[in-house]
Amino acid sequence: MPKSRVVGGTHRVPGDKSITHRALLFAALAPGRSTVTGALTSLDARSTARVLRQLGAEVSPLRQGTPVEIRGRKRLVRSDTALDCGNSGTTARLLLGLLAAQRFSSRVTGDASLRRRPMRRVTDPLVAMGARVTAGANDGLPLTITGGALQALDWELAVASAQVKSALLLAGAAGGVEVRLTERAATRDHTERFLRHFGFDITVRRGVLTLKPTGQFAPFDITVPGDPSSAIFLLAATLLADRGDVRIAGVGLNPSRTGFLAVLRRMGAVIDEANVTESFGEPLGDLITQPAMLVSTDIAADEVPGVIDEIPMLACLAARARGTSRFVGLAELRVKESNRLELLATNLQRLGANARVDGDDLIIAGRDAPLAGRVVTHADHRIAMAFTVLGRVAGNRIRVDDPACAAVSFPGFDVALAALDQGTR
């Protein structure tokens, strides 16, 4: 009979990836010295730091436990070499918005995975603002963007994407022009919170977001909260354990990022929030939970933008829940670091779970039988972490082919997961 798993203790997760990217970018635009404490030190964050150094900003090394110091400049400078964004879609898309307002040409590229991801959703509206873009055959990276004087933009976003929205807001703020965006669904609002801090007038009415260039970038100090998209893995590992309770301290609780908590609660999780406070306009606090008997749930299409990064872990939890779960409208998962929709279904099937794709929907029938087999990640960090957590269930024998890729967003993931354990009984 498999031994039971007991969890406990107070834990922290790395700094929020979305906030770290934005803090570095805005600091580069602020003449003077800014300090970012608690920044994520992952490969993606280092990609943003690297390209900003190429553009003339001074950015200290990203090291765990050490504040990052950035000396920004009023005008960035042209890089003689291509700006390599690595695997980071956030870096690439937000960088394009920033470059659209700079009076020089830049070559932007990334790794093989990033070069397959769509960029026209960003470059088309930037061209409408006055930037010039020369892209390859697939309209993605590598591409050359020439910025300059921009004009106001009134644009309907074809997809619900915080990256696209942020790129256009960044272009408007850096270029000093008004931007009016119509969103089909609300997405994370970290960029708007930053811009309000700098005095930019931002309003949202009936799905229309308007930025007026009233602000000015100035040096700042920020403490980055823990990333909720990383916290879900420790929460899930706790829910799947047999006994104990766990506190995850200092997690970002921005409502545009915590839709997954509502999903987990619908599935039977009891998750309490404590010590809630605010830093730089961002709410944060502690999340406390314990093991639970999970039940199935449905995720509607309008919920997906708010839980897009947490879908892999939620899907793995659904494989252990009682009943059948249906996740509706997951087309955006096809253009993440991998085709996450197909990869989730294929890996679950390979392990013996009952999962299938129906159009852009994912249907998973939970079961108690042990799961076993090899998970193919295609170097997708969230796939790797979700199935690693699923592999902790007593009786499961799951081997992840590339666990090291977790470092893209969660350095030290294996150590953090092991720290939950209080022993087996």
Side-chain angles (χ1 to χ4, degrees):
M1 181 176 179
K3 293 181 178 180
S4 62
R5 189 179 292 275
V6 182
V7 295
T10 297
H11 307 269
R12 290 186 177 271
V13 293
D16 188 283
K17 184 156 77 83
S18 296
I19 295 176
T20 296
H21 282 301
R22 287 158 176 80
L24 295 174
L25 286 161
F26 284 121
L29 295 173
R33 190 179 74 176
S34 298
T35 302
V36 181
T37 301
L40 178 66
T41 61
S42 72
L43 298 177
D44 277 11
R46 289 175 180 174
S47 291
T48 293
R50 181 177 60 250
V51 298
L52 291 175
R53 293 186 192 107
Q54 290 180 254
L55 293 168
E58 297 177 21
V59 185
S60 67
L62 273 62
R63 297 192 180 102
Q64 191 70 32
T66 302
V68 182
E69 293 191 355
I70 306 98
R71 187 170 292 278
R73 51 191 303 151
K74 189 171 183 179
R75 290 184 179 86
L76 299 177
V77 297
R78 178 181 177 275
S79 172
D80 292 331
T81 57
L83 302 169
D84 186 350
C85 300
N87 186 246
S88 178
T90 305
T91 301
R93 290 177 176 138
L94 270 62
L95 180 66
L96 290 172
L98 174 61
L99 293 173
Q102 311 303 312
R103 296 176 182 270
F104 51 74
S105 296
S106 301
R107 185 73 169 168
V108 182
T109 189
D111 68 8
S113 171
L114 186 57
R115 291 196 299 270
R116 291 193 296 268
R117 298 179 67 177
M119 292 294 156
R120 282 195 63 176
R121 55 182 59 179
V122 178
T123 58
D124 280 353
L126 291 177
V127 168
M129 295 179 77
R132 289 186 287 124
V133 175
T134 303
N138 65 346
D139 291 315
L141 301 182
L143 61 78
T144 299
I145 180 168
T146 303
L150 300 180
Q151 60 190 29
L153 177 71
D154 188 344
W155 194 267
E156 181 174 352
L157 296 171
V159 295
S161 168
Q163 292 178 3
V164 177
K165 175 181 68 173
S166 295
L168 303 180
L169 292 176
L170 190 56
V177 297
E178 183 171 322
V179 172
R180 188 173 184 270
L181 304 175
T182 302
E183 283 195 283
R184 297 184 178 185
T187 57
R188 58 186 63 175
D189 64 354
H190 302 302
T191 300
E192 294 94 308
R193 290 173 187 255
F194 265 108
L195 289 171
R196 289 189 182 104
H197 173 83
F198 295 121
F200 288 88
D201 181 1
I202 294 183
T203 58
V204 182
R205 295 191 181 93
R206 297 180 181 178
V208 178
L209 187 157
T210 303
L211 173 142
K212 295 183 178 179
T214 55
Q216 185 173 353
F217 297 112
F220 59 93
D221 297 335
I222 184 175
T223 298
V224 179
D227 196 321
S229 295
S230 295
I232 190 176
F233 298 109
L234 302 191
L235 291 172
T238 302
L239 294 173
L240 293 174
D242 299 290
R243 291 194 294 114
D245 56 80
V246 166
R247 177 188 292 260
I248 307 173
V251 179
L253 298 177
N254 183 316
S256 69
R257 295 290 304 284
T258 54
F260 71 91
L261 293 178
V263 177
L264 291 177
R265 287 166 177 147
R266 290 203 306 262
M267 296 179 75
V270 176
I271 303 173
D272 296 322
E273 300 174 15
N275 300 324
V276 178
T277 184
E278 188 173 287
S279 173
F280 213 85
E282 293 281 350
L284 68 152
D286 300 350
L287 296 174
I288 306 163
T289 195
Q290 54 275 323
M293 297 295 294
L294 300 177
V295 297
S296 62
T297 191
D298 291 344
I299 295 180
D302 61 1
E303 286 185 278
V304 169
V307 297
I308 192 68
D309 286 339
E310 294 78 39
I311 292 291
M313 191 67 258
L314 293 172
C316 286
L317 289 175
R320 304 303 297 180
R322 186 177 70 252
T324 299
S325 299
R326 188 179 189 104
F327 299 3
V328 177
L330 301 184
E332 189 65 14
L333 284 190
R334 298 185 185 277
V335 292
K336 287 293 186 179
E337 286 84 339
S338 65
N339 183 338
R340 280 186 184 159
L341 179 54
E342 296 292 344
L343 201 54
L344 276 169
T346 300
N347 278 314
L348 286 169
Q349 292 164 3
R350 186 179 291 119
L351 298 177
N354 188 340
R356 63 184 176 90
V357 173
D358 180 9
D360 289 329
D361 302 348
L362 179 62
I363 299 94
I364 302 169
R367 54 183 302 189
D368 291 331
L371 302 176
R374 177 175 178 268
V375 169
V376 177
T377 63
H378 290 181
D380 189 318
H381 55 124
R382 300 197 192 279
I383 294 289
M385 290 187 284
F387 282 96
T388 297
V389 170
L390 186 59
R392 288 167 54 89
V393 174
N396 284 0
R397 293 179 291 108
I398 296 173
R399 182 165 58 92
V400 175
D401 71 347
D402 184 13
C405 70
V408 167
S409 63
F410 198 148
F413 172 67
D414 54 342
V415 175
L417 206 55
L420 293 176
D421 292 332
Q422 304 296 298
T424 55
R425 304 279 172 81

